[in-house]
Amino acid sequence: MGRIWMSQMVDAIADLGRLYFERPSNENPLEAAHRLCADLLSEHGEASGTALAREVVELYGGLERDDRIAFLDMLNNDFACDTDGLGDAIARYSSDASQDAYLALCRAVEAPRQELLHRINAAPNGTAAIVEMRALLLETLKDQPDFATLDADFGHLFASWFNRGFLQFERIDWRTPAATLEKLIKYEAVHEIRGWTDLRRRLADDRRCFAFFHPALIDEPLIFVEVALVQGLAARIEPVLDAPPPEADGEAPDTAVFYSISNCQAGLAGISFGNLLIKQVVDALNAELPEIRNFVTLSPIPGFHGWVDELMVDTPSDFLDDEERAMLADANWSEDPAIRDRLEKPLMRLCAEFLTNPLDDGPPRDTVARFHLGNGASVERLNWGADLSPKGLAQSAGIMVNYRYDPDKIVANHEAYVGEGRIAISSSVRALASARR
Amino acid sequence: MGRIWMSQMVDAIADLGRLYFERPSNENPLEAAHRLCADLLSEHGEASGTALAREVVELYGGLERDDRIAFLDMLNNDFACDTDGLGDAIARYSSDASQDAYLALCRAVEAPRQELLHRINAAPNGTAAIVEMRALLLETLKDQPDFATLDADFGHLFASWFNRGFLQFERIDWRTPAATLEKLIKYEAVHEIRGWTDLRRRLADDRRCFAFFHPALIDEPLIFVEVALVQGLAARIEPVLDAPPPEADGEAPDTAVFYSISNCQAGLAGISFGNLLIKQVVDALNAELPEIRNFVTLSPIPGFHGWVDELMVDTPSDFLDDEERAMLADANWSEDPAIRDRLEKPLMRLCAEFLTNPLDDGPPRDTVARFHLGNGASVERLNWGADLSPKGLAQSAGIMVNYRYDPDKIVANHEAYVGEGRIAISSSVRALASARR
Amino acid sequence: MGRIWMSQMVDAIADLGRLYFERPSNENPLEAAHRLCADLLSEHGEASGTALAREVVELYGGLERDDRIAFLDMLNNDFACDTDGLGDAIARYSSDASQDAYLALCRAVEAPRQELLHRINAAPNGTAAIVEMRALLLETLKDQPDFATLDADFGHLFASWFNRGFLQFERIDWRTPAATLEKLIKYEAVHEIRGWTDLRRRLADDRRCFAFFHPALIDEPLIFVEVALVQGLAARIEPVLDAPPPEADGEAPDTAVFYSISNCQAGLAGISFGNLLIKQVVDALNAELPEIRNFVTLSPIPGFHGWVDELMVDTPSDFLDDEERAMLADANWSEDPAIRDRLEKPLMRLCAEFLTNPLDDGPPRDTVARFHLGNGASVERLNWGADLSPKGLAQSAGIMVNYRYDPDKIVANHEAYVGEGRIAISSSVRALASARR
Amino acid sequence: MGRIWMSQMVDAIADLGRLYFERPSNENPLEAAHRLCADLLSEHGEASGTALAREVVELYGGLERDDRIAFLDMLNNDFACDTDGLGDAIARYSSDASQDAYLALCRAVEAPRQELLHRINAAPNGTAAIVEMRALLLETLKDQPDFATLDADFGHLFASWFNRGFLQFERIDWRTPAATLEKLIKYEAVHEIRGWTDLRRRLADDRRCFAFFHPALIDEPLIFVEVALVQGLAARIEPVLDAPPPEADGEAPDTAVFYSISNCQAGLAGISFGNLLIKQVVDALNAELPEIRNFVTLSPIPGFHGWVDELMVDTPSDFLDDEERAMLADANWSEDPAIRDRLEKPLMRLCAEFLTNPLDDGPPRDTVARFHLGNGASVERLNWGADLSPKGLAQSAGIMVNYRYDPDKIVANHEAYVGEGRIAISSSVRALASARR
């Protein structure tokens, strides 16, 4: 019969036990939730199998958004650390820092809701439900700053549950269950998947897709990366997305282009998987396709145009002459191809500067750059006119960048970047950056 | 390719990175362990993939017992909570119990080794290595009482990692991988499995075996239960263990006898799975074999003979006359069948008393009784001469007990036992217990 | 690594061997095919692993339709039984009917292409390629009557390869690989699946889908059946196809409606799986959902309207008066609701007659009726206005029929139908049929 | 639920149908078998699902050996080709060799038992039962020469069912189900596996085991090969079998030694899989372990000593002088180490001659040599004193041979051997063979 999740088993005996949990008719859902949570946290709950946990999850699932926030509020207030008890434990520890006093302090400082969340986790799809609670929590955190305590507890749990020793890596292809595939469509964050036909193209023989999973989040990827196997470093995104399948007797690809990386679980924000995934993918491709020599991204540069705009306001520039500055001052400059041609050279130089030689001394301003450089990539090549979509023009003047993952240099690049803030840059980009006018 | 544990993947890039971790030639293993652990806990470690974690696990695996204890000592001392920092956090919180101060206190009180253990967990078989560390820790705890703090941290992690939402249930049979089957032979704690032929018998068509697993402990059961499908409540253990396979056209069994339950992971002591497993097994058997009407154990009564001995010392008894007392005073009484016959009646009465009617007001004295009654079973039948092995005679005068799991009463029995300390007892055992001489 | 089909393995050594098979540049594809087939049938081919077989399959796959027919013609002529050898074997056997002479005759009569097809089967996807060859063969058989010999050889092979001992049964749901699911969309023959959203609805919790597979036809169902779990016998097809998912707390279904059965492989025509599938599905649903009491189809009656038309021409009828005959004479009668109402009674009677009481003495005229009655079903209920689609009106005046599969009567019904031609009919349909005007 | 073999499904409806098959009380098992077979072959049987087939298999399984032979006799006689019908079909075809007459002849010549065996195959484990029937048939064929016709039918079926397109390749290791592993112990034909501990050693990290399976023979390998990964060509078998597991930090192996190949299914004699398996294993090892440079066997030479004995009788020899001949004339010569030393040189020369330069012009006399040379191996090295077991000394004077599978030469070697009878021989063995005294 294979292995079955305890939480997914038909629990006939617990169903029998549901009689015990019948809700008084005049009880409102939040009162019920409080009562069920208190019961689940009691000794009774410890012994009740998965039935009570399932009640809580089903009840939460049936709530409207406002009531869900009220549920979170209840977790935050009613299942918080007992401050009196904490005070006592502090007093005891302060007068005698014994082992027992320390252990008592540890127990006193932990909010009971941590144990409560452990028990809710026993419900069918309990883990998914808890991840969703955190997603809502993060949405409301701005308006409810006192949720920070509750959020810290979620974060604490997730760091434990989703630590990398519990993650699984999987190639996604057309033989993957549809229940997982539809999640790709849902979660793709960089280049929208336009239905099942588009999805199928992205999973064809000259494409690869890999994802991380947690075993208790069945069918739910945590993060996935899409890869195109092509000839030569891809310079524009549109041909990657819309390429017809290659001829059977075409030349073999020599380059893997990572053209999209998407985090899937909003509730897991702050739990980082991206750097792991890319290294694993490079390893997996290396093993499967030894003829692939280049591992590069084709990445947006989301912060570039904004930086240029600031630059024009703030400082006279070594990079632009007055005519160029005037052109750029027109918000619609990029719609005119003639102007675009005219600006190619200075903007490419500026972009190289932006990515590799920050004016101040900190890390690169661009989040995507920080992500890849921190993972051991180098800045390989800038591509003019690589993304002419409105978003691409608005964010980065249509420029995209290839970051290169060289298996032989990933560790060294990473060490140099993390340790000394040194960025690995190809000679061509270096030349661009130094070619001040 | 299926899902692959990140921790199990061949990590070519990390292997490359091993160059960075080369050990100075004059460094002893414990110094190396300290250095590696400190490195793993640093930002460098966060980014290094699984390579550093693997180094730590391999290094620990290569240590002798004494050095392993020294390693635990290092965890306990060098990666403990920073008491100065804790003092500061307490002072801040005491003067202003703000949310931020509370969160800072939470952070300060947690020993850094918790994060360290999370990171070690990323190694191949990291979870198994950490469970083994705790097994050794528990062995030495008696001699090293200050390990209690360290043990609390392990316990905290395991409560999170092995919470029931992450457990999987599986039927074990002859098609199970040998790598798992050999663990049954290793871990069987009640009735020794005498090699593969005996094991095969216990997995035959008229037997069942079920286990819990954690997905990251591959091939390693957490707990398993062995079941014999027979006709009528089994009254003696030896025929259960040595029965030939039934005739193909024999009568269908109507009873499932749970004759052995074994915890497998010494390092998970205190993390309870037993009650869950029995309920799931009753459910699974109910679904597969609706013709099974009785779910009973055939259980030892490990504390009985000791209690009788105490009884004889402490108090004159309503249950025994002087002749009987004299017989029992001989340590070898049970070797003489005539005396055994003579003592059957009074000992059976005493045993019923022992299991069901504790003289003081607490729970039953017998650990096995507490386990099954707490799980919702009732005391069904006492069996004289059920286990004539030396151990059986020494522990329980050869008596074994059937606890019954009635699917319709498990919840009610459990509630009554936990809530009011009421024990469900069959009329026959009740009659025995009340039949004072 | 799991089990891998030999035919699917990367055969590096065979690839090396491809040098031996290089095609002369002036050879046309059919000459090449002939040469490769002859080579594959030689001792060389026996030893060459899968490489030669793959060449043949790839070459065939690259041919245009006309050349494929020429390929079949080549199989039919060039790899046919050697008539001279057969003549000799006949002469020998006729003069001395010894065991050896008989065995020689067996060998002589068998066309070498049977062994050739065995060897082609070793190619990756070889079985699928051979099934496709037969599909084309069946298409052209009408125009090429001498293909009958070739077709007999395909049929002989398929009876052996696809015999029921080699079939596998699988539930199809949303966790099934997309590569299989897209085949459902492609092969659905009764009620078109309108894209992935429609498909997903048909695989929801209140629906079931089951299929037969052959292990060597990976991802390719042979036949599948779609089932709706509903309350009460479904009387119309449109609500079955378009029903929204049921409320979570709705009443539990008591009826399984088999609303679509589709054969998938045109090349396997004549190899019957349907009766097996339905019995297995009834068994599987019985085991999973004991609360389902009714197993019925909602079936078209494709031959009904045609029979009525004949009836009107051929014979005066007991069932229709002159006015009704006049109405029916108008080809568009069914577009007028008033006329439809007027004709309900006589047409329902006629339909009951058509399905249950054939004028001549043979089996029912309707192919769908023959299929279900032969499988042990009974005629349960006729449903007026059940399928108002143009096709439904044209074929059966909008009537659909429920055939019932009663697990307790399937065997008896089947025996009575096959043995004595007796049809099981519900009392309501019997009443309809006997209610002559 | 995964894919389920139709033949393995619980067939509740067919069970119901068993009522129909109740055996008259005075019927003996063979009469029952005949009646059931006839019924199974009828139209009733076609529709009865798997129930009748199961009856036949269970009945056959319950027979004693003599009755099983009688069952085979019944198949041979009662379900043979109808000779009258065959005579008619011959007459028709002889007068008019039309397509229809040919097809009728094809049908007439085929014994009905072929269809009967197809239908028996639908039973649970039907394929295994039929393979076992053939095993018994082959055992008795010598005594019952008229079973040749029956055997031809089995052979015909098996060529179709077990054709290489339906075989699966699998690595066997310690995670393989015990139900398969115990088959290795049972079937090992070259070097006995002495229990589970020995088996575990053979599946350790420095060993490999691969097998072919047919999907319908669950848990039953068809053939398997055992491989040792070592340093340098192994020269003796005993260290291979008894080697302790290697040190973790030992030198990496560069050689794969195929030290045992066992056919498992006696009933499939004549259906060859061996050559396929070896090529696949070389491919699989090449992919997994690119550092393995040598693929060699360590093979017995079963026919060598017998050939030497003949040689001494038949012909004066260029290879032996009179003293050597006298020594060899003593049946116990090999027990005396001094004599063994004395005979090393001449026997090694003779053995090289035996394997590579047959006196007559046909293929090598040694069956094992023919097997490996036909698969594309070369004769690499002779090893004196390689197998000093009684069997090894008696068969081959203790000599064993390494055949080499060089991935780059397998195809060419195979072609040369099959096409021209040319044997690939290493220079060292060639030198030995030409070193006539």
Side-chain angles (χ1 to χ4, degrees), chain B residues 76-381:
Chain B
N76 200 32
N77 294 322
D78 302 353
F79 295 91
C81 156
D82 166 16
T83 49
D84 290 347
L86 178 55
D88 294 348
I90 286 177
R92 177 178 169 199
Y93 178 79
S94 298
S95 74
D96 169 22
S98 70
Q99 178 169 253
D100 284 351
Y102 170 71
L103 288 173
L105 178 58
C106 288
R107 280 191 300 272
V109 83
E110 185 182 299
R113 65 182 155 250
Q114 289 215 27
E115 176 60 19
L116 178 60
L117 290 170
H118 279 148
R119 293 189 181 185
I120 292 176
N121 191 46
N125 306 312
T127 312
I130 294 170
V131 170
E132 275 176 43
M133 286 178 194
R134 173 121 188 283
L136 179 59
L137 173 59
L138 290 174
E139 279 178 32
T140 55
L141 194 51
K142 202 176 48 196
D143 302 325
Q144 303 234 23
D146 67 317
F147 273 6
T149 329
L150 180 59
D151 186 51
D153 280 332
F154 275 97
H156 195 262
L157 274 189
F158 290 170
S160 176
W161 290 357
F162 293 91
N163 104 46
R164 66 179 77 172
F166 297 142
L167 302 189
Q168 294 177 310
F169 178 77
E170 182 177 336
R171 175 166 169 197
I172 306 290
D173 60 21
W174 196 237
R175 302 206 71 231
T176 299
T180 297
L181 293 184
E182 69 175 354
K183 303 294 166 58
L184 301 193
I185 298 178
K186 176 177 171 191
Y187 293 130
E188 161 68 57
V190 185
H191 303 291
E192 186 199 0
I193 301 177
R194 295 148 293 180
W196 288 83
T197 306
D198 187 10
L199 176 63
R200 202 187 169 178
R201 175 67 193 93
R202 299 195 190 194
L203 302 175
D205 284 351
D206 63 331
R207 296 290 184 266
R208 290 293 181 279
C209 181
F210 297 91
F212 273 148
F213 290 84
H214 185 277
L217 285 180
I218 301 158
D219 299 331
E220 278 282 349
L222 303 183
I223 184 172
F224 64 94
V225 60
E226 295 165 79
V227 184
L229 305 177
V230 298
Q231 280 246 315
L233 275 60
R236 293 197 303 123
I237 187 63
E238 183 266 340
V240 169
L241 295 179
D242 295 339
E247 306 282 312
D249 51 359
E251 273 185 274
D254 59 6
T255 301
V257 179
F258 298 56
Y259 65 92
S260 183
I261 302 175
S262 300
N263 273 296
C264 305
Q265 308 296 330
L268 295 181
I271 315 287
S272 155
F273 315 113
N275 63 336
L276 303 170
L277 181 57
I278 288 187
K279 271 193 290 193
Q280 298 294 11
V281 168
V282 171
D283 268 354
L285 291 173
N286 240 340
E288 184 201 349
L289 301 164
E291 66 275 20
I292 296 289
R293 292 190 315 267
N294 306 306
F295 300 91
V296 298
T297 74
L298 183 58
S299 300
I301 312 158
F304 175 55
H305 206 303
W307 175 76
V308 171
D309 291 344
E310 284 174 37
L311 200 70
M312 304 228 304
V313 173
D314 295 353
T315 58
S317 164
D318 294 346
F319 295 93
L320 298 169
D321 62 25
D322 289 346
E323 187 189 5
E324 290 158 358
R325 292 174 69 94
M327 283 172 170
L328 276 168
D330 177 357
N332 301 319
W333 70 266
S334 65
E335 290 170 12
D336 181 340
I339 295 182
R340 283 215 305 270
D341 282 355
R342 173 70 180 75
L343 289 174
E344 172 174 357
K345 217 175 204 173
L347 284 174
M348 288 287 274
R349 282 198 303 245
L350 269 173
C351 191
E353 175 78 9
F354 174 69
L355 289 174
T356 65
N357 193 20
L359 298 189
D360 49 16
D361 229 6
R365 301 152 197 260
D366 192 75
T367 52
V368 177
R370 284 202 299 274
F371 174 79
H372 289 298
L373 297 174
N375 290 338
S378 58
V379 181
E380 177 67 22
R381 194 174 75 178

Side-chain angles (χ1 to χ4, degrees), chain C residues 243-264:
Chain C
E247 305 283 312
D249 51 359
E251 270 187 278
D254 58 6
T255 301
V257 179
F258 299 57
Y259 66 93
S260 183
I261 303 175
S262 299
N263 274 296
C264 305

Side-chain angles (χ1 to χ4, degrees), chain C residues 1-7 9-13 16-17 20 43-44 46-50 81 83 86 90 93-94 99 102-103 105-106 109-111 118 121-122 127 145-149 152 156-157 159-161 163-171 210 212-216 219 275-276 279-280 282-283 407-408 410-412 414-415 418, chain D residues 1-7 9-13 16-17 20 43-44 46-50 81 83 86 90 93-94 99 102-103 105-106 109-111 118 121-122 127 145-149 152 156-157 159-161 163-171 210 212-216 219 275-276 279-280 282-283 407-408 410-412 414-415 418:
Chain C
M1 64 182 194
R3 292 197 184 167
I4 300 174
W5 286 98
M6 234 204 72
S7 57
M9 294 184 71
V10 176
D11 188 345
I13 295 167
L16 213 77
Y20 290 80
E43 186 174 317
H44 174 259
E46 208 282 319
S48 73
T50 61
C81 156
T83 49
L86 178 55
I90 287 177
Y93 178 79
S94 299
Q99 178 170 253
Y102 170 70
L103 289 172
L105 178 59
C106 287
V109 83
E110 185 182 301
H118 279 147
N121 192 46
T127 311
D146 68 317
F147 273 7
T149 327
H156 195 261
L157 274 189
S160 176
W161 291 356
N163 103 49
R164 66 177 79 171
F166 297 141
L167 302 188
Q168 294 177 310
F169 178 77
E170 183 177 335
R171 176 168 168 195
F210 298 90
F212 273 147
F213 289 84
H214 185 276
D219 299 331
N275 62 336
L276 303 171
K279 270 194 290 193
Q280 298 294 11
V282 171
D283 268 355
D408 294 336
I410 285 180
V411 174
H414 162 75
E415 298 276 331
V418 169
Chain D
M1 63 184 198
R3 291 197 185 169
I4 300 175
W5 287 99
M6 233 205 73
S7 58
M9 294 184 72
V10 177
D11 188 344
I13 293 167
L16 212 77
Y20 289 81
E43 185 175 317
H44 173 258
E46 210 281 318
S48 74
T50 62
C81 155
T83 47
L86 178 55
I90 286 177
Y93 178 78
S94 298
Q99 177 170 256
Y102 169 72
L103 288 173
L105 178 59
C106 287
V109 82
E110 187 182 299
H118 279 147
N121 192 47
T127 312
D146 67 317
F147 273 7
T149 328
H156 195 262
L157 275 189
S160 176
W161 291 356
N163 104 47
R164 66 179 75 173
F166 296 142
L167 302 189
Q168 293 176 311
F169 178 78
E170 183 177 336
R171 176 168 169 196
F210 298 91
F212 273 148
F213 289 84
H214 185 277
D219 299 330
N275 64 335
L276 303 170
K279 270 193 291 194
Q280 298 294 12
V282 171
D283 268 353
D408 293 337
I410 285 179
V411 173
H414 162 74
E415 299 275 332
V418 169

Side-chain angles (χ1 to χ4, degrees), chain A residues 1-7 9-14 16-17 20-21 43-50 76 80-81 83 86-87 90 93-94 99-100 102-103 105-106 108-111 113-115 117-119 121-123 127 145-150 152-153 156-157 159-161 163-171 180 210 212-220 272 275-276 278-280 282-284 286 374 407-415 418, chain B residues 1-7 9-14 16-17 20-21 43-50 76 80-81 83 86-87 90 93-94 99-100 102-103 105-106 108-111 113-115 117-119 121-123 127 145-150 152-153 156-157 159-161 163-171 180 210 212-220 272 275-276 278-280 282-284 286 374 407-415 418:
Chain A
M1 63 183 195
R3 292 197 183 168
I4 300 174
W5 286 98
M6 234 204 72
S7 57
M9 293 184 71
V10 176
D11 189 345
I13 294 167
L16 212 76
Y20 290 79
F21 315 138
E43 186 175 317
H44 173 259
E46 208 281 318
S48 74
T50 61
N76 200 33
C81 156
T83 48
L86 177 55
I90 286 177
Y93 177 81
S94 297
Q99 178 170 253
D100 284 351
Y102 170 70
L103 288 174
L105 178 59
C106 287
V109 83
E110 186 182 299
R113 64 181 155 251
Q114 288 215 25
E115 177 60 20
L117 289 170
H118 279 148
R119 295 189 180 184
N121 191 46
T127 312
D146 67 319
F147 273 6
T149 328
L150 179 60
D153 281 330
H156 196 262
L157 274 190
S160 176
W161 291 357
N163 104 45
R164 66 177 79 171
F166 297 141
L167 301 188
Q168 293 177 311
F169 179 76
E170 183 177 335
R171 176 168 169 196
T180 297
F210 298 90
F212 273 147
F213 290 85
H214 185 277
L217 285 179
I218 302 158
D219 300 331
E220 276 283 349
S272 154
N275 63 336
L276 303 171
I278 288 187
K279 270 195 290 195
Q280 298 294 10
V282 171
D283 267 354
N286 240 340
D408 294 336
K409 296 183 183 160
I410 285 180
V411 174
N413 285 348
H414 162 74
E415 299 276 331
V418 169
Chain B
M1 64 183 197
R3 290 194 186 169
I4 299 174
W5 287 98
M6 234 204 73
S7 57
M9 293 185 71
V10 176
D11 187 346
I13 294 166
L16 212 78
Y20 289 80
F21 315 138
E43 185 174 317
H44 173 259
E46 209 281 320
S48 75
T50 62
N76 200 32
C81 156
T83 49
L86 178 55
I90 286 177
Y93 178 79
S94 298
Q99 178 169 253
D100 284 351
Y102 170 71
L103 288 173
L105 178 58
C106 288
V109 83
E110 185 182 299
R113 65 182 155 250
Q114 289 215 27
E115 176 60 19
L117 290 170
H118 279 148
R119 293 189 181 185
N121 191 46
T127 312
D146 67 317
F147 273 6
T149 329
L150 180 59
D153 280 332
H156 195 262
L157 274 189
S160 176
W161 290 357
N163 104 46
R164 66 179 77 172
F166 297 142
L167 302 189
Q168 294 177 310
F169 178 77
E170 182 177 336
R171 175 166 169 197
T180 297
F210 297 91
F212 273 148
F213 290 84
H214 185 277
L217 285 180
I218 301 158
D219 299 331
E220 278 282 349
S272 155
N275 63 336
L276 303 170
I278 288 187
K279 271 193 290 193
Q280 298 294 11
V282 171
D283 268 354
N286 240 340
D408 293 337
K409 296 182 183 160
I410 286 180
V411 173
N413 286 347
H414 162 75
E415 299 275 332
V418 169

Side-chain angles (χ1 to χ4, degrees), chain A residues 136-148:
Chain A
L136 178 59
L137 174 59
L138 290 173
E139 279 178 33
T140 55
L141 195 51
K142 200 177 47 196
D143 302 324
Q144 304 235 24
D146 67 319
F147 273 6

